[in-house]
Amino acid sequence: AGNHTFAVRATDAIGNVGGAATYTWTIDTTPPDTTITSSPANPSNSTSPSFSFSSSESGSTFQCSLDGAAFAGCTSPKAYAGLAAGSHTFQVKATDPAGNVDPTPASYTWTIDTAAPDTTITSSPANPTNSTSASFSFSSSESGSTFECQLGGGGYLPCASPVSYSGLGEGTHSFQVKATDPAGNTDPTLASYAWTVDTSPPDTAIGLAPTNPTNATGAIFSFTRG
């Protein structure tokens, strides 16, 4: 391997020696190394991934394979469309200008997840309640999910279980929470809970009572709650 030069010169029948003709070339027996430089997130909810890749030797060409299919010529970036949900593997190998092929193609395996998670409220305040504070616990059907919460119509904000609120006014309140899984799918139906805060004490009235004074040794009372 390396640079070589071949020289040849002719001598004619009467002894004249011509100038040498030369040819220099390089023997390269080292295969290139292929690197994937960009790839989809893992997991991802995109069914149209794109890959970029490079070779350790300039001037290389590439061959790509998806999910074990035969390698075919490709260029960077290489895009695919309409892939099904599930696990996929992309491979790419470089061939340098001398014809050496990378014997260890670069490989990337990832999962396409297009299913949204299901969000569940696992604990909530009683309904009705006289507490002006409320705490909620919740979970997702997919581990690693993140959450966004909203109290009333205040707008969704990132949150974690449990989440607590205080200083709530009397009346009806609503809480909503939605999960987003690691692939980026968000629960379209979210989880919701409505309850009433009642801090007003009832008014009690006695409607029937014994006369005062009375000589009766028994007494009957009737009463109502306002």
Side-chain angles (χ1 to χ4, degrees), residues 4 40 46 92 97 122 138 150 152 222:
H4 299 273
S46 172
V92 57
T122 56
F138 38 88
Q150 174 179 249
S222 68

Side-chain angles (χ1 to χ4, degrees), residues 62-64 70-75 78:
F62 299 91
Q63 290 180 301
C64 297
F71 280 92
C74 59
T75 56
K78 173 63 176 176

